[in-house]
Amino acid sequence: MAHTDHQTLRRVLRREIAGTIGLLTDDHDFRAMRRYRSFAFDDHTIYLQQVEALLKSRAAQGSHTTLALFDPEEYAEFCADTGLDPEAPASRTRFTAELAATGPTIPYDGSPLATLVPALVDEAVRQATWEYATTLLTRLGPCRTCGEDIGRAAFTCASDLLSRILDTAPPGDRHLVCSVFGPPETLVSVLHADENTDGTTELDEAEALEFTSVLALGLATDSPGGLVMRITAAETADRVYGWRLRGGGLEPLTASEVFDAYCTDVESGDLISPEPGVDYCTPPHLGGGESTAQGHRH
């Protein structure tokens, strides 16, 4: 009787344990893992099917699982740094535990892997973009004239600008894209700001942090770039408007400039037909009676 009770308690405890699966999302990474004899799979499609079956099984048992992006190159470096045997399954488990603590993850919510994999890749790109932008902002250091931290001042400015952009936007769901052109890298960040039924705006904190960091980098380095927003609302045409990065601030684009940007093929430069049901507009005044160039200026 006591043995049965112990088994029951262990089953209960299993439901209390959260798990993480390190996922090989593409064929290239899958092929890289096949160099390890202890990696049992030889077909990526079957591998994904088995992962999905395991996720469904754990969910049916009431267990919570998160998905992490498993990078074979990072795994090899991890094993080399820690002295672990990369052939040992336990080493892959250790690496996956590290991913759960520090890397990009998404929870399994019952959606098919065909939906979850792009979301996981997007999350990894977002984290990498944020880390890269933050590193560059930190390297700017203090101002030689007054000692103020240039990156921190730019981030404060970018946060204020984003708040003003959202506050002055018409009602609806907002889709923002900020592009900052290198060198050394071109960064693109996307932010979704959906409007709730009570009129409040819902933001994903990770998205907002990445977006603000990229905008701050463009402001701090006076890099070429731009910010555009598309507003979608029921029973009305979508509205698109934006700004260019200039002089450490935002300069409004004219309606014709927005139209040209959206109706020109980026690669060929040829004109393309405008999207039906879309109004290309000038942006509203951001309010406050102040210039948008609020960063660290002398």
Side-chain angles (χ1 to χ4, degrees), residues 135-216:
T135 298
L136 295 182
L137 283 171
T138 302
R139 288 177 180 173
L140 294 175
C143 172
R144 294 182 178 180
T145 302
C146 69
E148 183 179 17
D149 188 288
I150 297 173
R152 187 176 294 115
F155 188 88
T156 300
C157 173
S159 299
D160 176 67
L161 286 173
L162 179 58
S163 295
R164 291 159 66 184
I165 287 169
L166 295 176
D167 288 345
T168 57
D173 293 338
R174 296 81 175 250
H175 180 85
L176 298 89
V177 179
C178 180
S179 304
V180 175
F181 304 107
E185 296 283 347
T186 295
L187 299 181
V188 178
S189 180
V190 176
L191 177 64
H192 300 87
D194 294 337
E195 187 178 58
N196 297 319
T197 54
D198 60 359
T200 59
T201 299
E202 183 176 338
L203 291 176
D204 180 279
E205 290 186 8
E207 270 193 5
L209 184 60
E210 179 219 358
F211 189 91
T212 306
S213 299
V214 171
L215 176 57

Side-chain angles (χ1 to χ4, degrees), residues 235-250:
E235 301 180 359
T236 184
D238 285 8
R239 301 182 63 182
V240 178
Y241 55 77
W243 300 260
R244 66 170 54 87
L245 296 177
R246 176 167 292 178
L250 297 178

Side-chain angles (χ1 to χ4, degrees), residues 210-294:
E210 179 219 358
F211 189 91
T212 306
S213 299
V214 171
L215 176 57
L217 183 63
L219 298 175
T221 58
D222 203 9
S223 298
L227 190 159
V228 294
M229 177 161 63
R230 181 172 184 147
I231 303 99
T232 302
E235 301 180 359
T236 184
D238 285 8
R239 301 182 63 182
V240 178
Y241 55 77
W243 300 260
R244 66 170 54 87
L245 296 177
R246 176 167 292 178
L250 297 178
E251 179 181 278
L253 295 172
T254 65
S256 61
E257 287 174 326
V258 177
F259 179 89
D260 289 343
Y262 269 77
C263 300
T264 303
D265 185 274
V266 176
E267 294 184 358
S268 67
D270 296 334
L271 293 178
I272 56 178
S273 300
E275 188 178 350
V278 175
D279 289 339
Y280 303 97
C281 321
T282 56
H285 190 268
L286 293 182
E290 301 176 5
S291 166
T292 61
Q294 296 183 341

Side-chain angles (χ1 to χ4, degrees), residues 81-95:
D81 292 341
T82 57
L84 295 174
D85 177 9
E87 280 286 358
S91 300
R92 292 195 284 275
T93 302
R94 283 271 303 274
F95 178 65

Side-chain angles (χ1 to χ4, degrees), residues 40 43-44 51 55-56 60 65 73 79 123 135 140 221 244 271 278 283 289:
D43 184 278
H44 191 218
V51 169
L55 290 169
K56 291 178 179 178
T65 310
E73 291 185 7
C79 290
E123 181 64 26
T135 298
L140 294 175
T221 58
R244 66 170 54 87
L271 293 178
V278 175

